[in-house]
Every structure is written in C-alpha cells, then in structure tokens.
C-alpha cells in the first residue's frame, strides 16, 4: 500500500514543526503503536503490565521525535507510513524489552538475533582486547564487519557504506560471527 496523501501531509506538518501536528500524529498512530507493543509481548509469551505498556509506547514515540524527527525524516515513502512505523516500533519494543529484561526468550539464539539493535558504543567497545584476540578466528568480510562495529563503533549504515555492502546484511553477518565465536568458547566477546 503506497503512502496516502493524508499521511504525506501529516508527515510534512510534523517535519515543519507546525502547531498541533505532533498531537495529530500521535492521535493517528497511538492505536498502532499500542497494538505493536501488545502484539510483540504476546508473540514472546509475555504478560506486560499497564505501566510497561505505557513505558514502551512512550519509548517508541520518543524514538520518533529524537534527532529532530530523525525516524520520520528517513522515511522514503516506499511503503505506507503505518507499515514503516510498525517496523520501527517493533524494533524499539524488542530492544527495550531485552534491555529491561522484560523478555527472556528460552532460545538464546533468538535473543542474540534481535538484541543487537545498535547497543551503545561503550558496550560494544568494552571487550576490545577480547574481540581483537578473537578477530584472528574470523576471516575476510566478517572480521572487517566485527572490527568496524565492535572496535570502531560504526553504525550498520556506516559499515555498509565503508564496505560497499547493504546495511541490512550487517546484522546477520554479526550474528553469524558471534555464533562462530561461541563455538570457539567465548560467549561474551561480541556482546
């Protein structure tokens, strides 16, 4: 479904900081965000409290406004605005659930897969010596990606640009590299 004229106009008003634009945006998409929070919790077998629901919903909307509506500015209009916001909201909710330990998947691989939604640079750099030591175990592009992400603190987009690869391939590559490192007996090297 393409971007509707109504959503395009609402988006434009928000980005121009027009009066009451943000309130209209929240009114329009609050139900969607609440649904995403509830659905994400349900799909993970969680019963969240009303306080958790409010906090997670607030986290999503804060993400939308951070960096002068950075998330909204990056919307390219290749899908409906609701679809885009759903994807962003789900990522925020999963990240926050894991950060707050609201979610404890029984499959540790599932936690690894979704946990890495750009943790703070300090966290990525904390095990620098261990990561450098284990880089020898990895080869080629995996080693470059691990180095750029964990040692240099680059974002997925920066890594993709630097290496000339799609940024959406960075997360899966990091996941596979962590799996290899686990086989070498180090679970925390790339956390």
């Amino acid at each position: 479904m393409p971007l509707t004229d109504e959503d395009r106009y609402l988006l434009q008003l928000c980005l121009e900081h027009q009066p009451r634009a943000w309130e209209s945006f929240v009114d329009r998409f609050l139900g969607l965000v609440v649904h995403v929070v509830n659905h994400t919790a349900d799909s993970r077998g969680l019963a969240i409290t009303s306080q958790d629901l409010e906090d997670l919903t607030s986290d999503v909307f804060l993400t939308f406004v951070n960096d002068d509506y950075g998330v909204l500015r990056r919307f390219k209009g290749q899908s409906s605005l609701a679809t885009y916001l759903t994807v962003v909201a789900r990522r925020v909710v999963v990240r926050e659930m894991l950060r707050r330990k609201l979610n404890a998947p029984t499959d540790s691989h599932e936690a690894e897969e979704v946990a890495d939604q750009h943790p703070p640079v300090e966290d990525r750099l904390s095990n620098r010596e261990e990561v450098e030591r284990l880089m020898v175990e990895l080869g080629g592009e995996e080693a470059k990606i691990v180095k750029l992400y964990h040692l240099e603190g680059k974002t997925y987009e920066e890594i993709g640009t630097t290496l000339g690869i799609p940024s959406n391939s960075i997360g899966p590559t990091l996941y596979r590299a962590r799996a290899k490192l686990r086989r070498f007996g180090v679970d925390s090297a790339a956390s």
Side-chain angles (χ1 to χ4, degrees):
M1 173 186 230
L3 178 63
T4 65
D5 290 338
E6 180 183 359
D7 286 346
R8 180 178 285 112
Y9 181 68
L10 181 57
L11 191 58
Q12 179 184 352
L13 292 176
C14 283
L15 296 177
E16 292 173 355
H17 301 281
Q18 295 295 321
R20 307 254 333 126
W22 179 245
E23 290 82 358
S24 296
F25 183 90
V26 172
D27 288 346
R28 178 151 173 80
F29 293 106
L30 179 61
L32 173 80
V33 172
V34 168
H35 173 75
V36 169
V37 172
N38 284 323
H39 181 74
T40 303
D42 288 344
S43 69
R44 295 177 159 292
L46 293 174
I48 59 173
T49 66
S50 61
Q51 184 63 49
D52 291 333
L53 175 64
E54 286 179 31
D55 290 346
L56 292 167
T57 300
S58 176
D59 289 333
V60 170
F61 280 103
L62 282 172
T63 300
F64 293 163
V65 298
N66 281 346
D67 194 25
D68 191 31
Y69 299 102
V71 167
L72 301 181
R73 289 185 190 285
R74 287 188 291 275
F75 176 60
K76 296 193 183 352
Q78 297 173 341
S79 65
S80 72
L81 183 56
T83 299
Y84 175 75
L85 296 176
T86 298
V87 171
V88 172
R90 184 180 183 287
R91 288 178 180 170
V92 170
V93 171
V94 169
R95 180 189 65 224
E96 287 301 311
M97 285 179 166
L98 290 170
R99 187 182 68 78
R100 295 174 187 189
K101 309 260 190 278
L102 293 175
N103 192 2
T106 53
D107 180 0
S108 63
H109 295 291
E110 179 185 351
E112 282 284 336
E113 251 180 318
V114 296
D116 197 356
Q117 300 293 329
H118 304 299
V121 173
E122 307 81 55
D123 292 350
R124 290 188 261 160
L125 298 176
S126 65
N127 294 322
R128 183 179 190 93
E129 292 170 1
E130 207 165 308
V131 172
E132 286 174 339
R133 183 177 58 79
L134 291 168
M135 293 287 293
V136 188
E137 304 295 337
L138 300 173
E141 195 167 84
E142 276 182 341
K144 290 177 189 173
I145 290 172
V146 168
K147 178 182 179 202
L148 289 169
Y149 186 74
H150 287 287
L151 300 180
E152 296 182 19
K154 303 257 188 225
T155 66
Y156 286 8
E157 293 77 22
E158 291 169 331
I159 295 168
T161 301
T162 300
L163 298 178
I165 58 176
S167 61
N168 63 352
S169 68
I170 306 301
T173 301
L174 287 169
Y175 175 74
R176 286 190 300 275
R178 287 186 195 99
K180 284 182 182 179
L181 295 177
R182 274 195 299 277
R183 284 194 298 262
F184 295 123
V186 179
D187 290 334
S188 64
S191 357

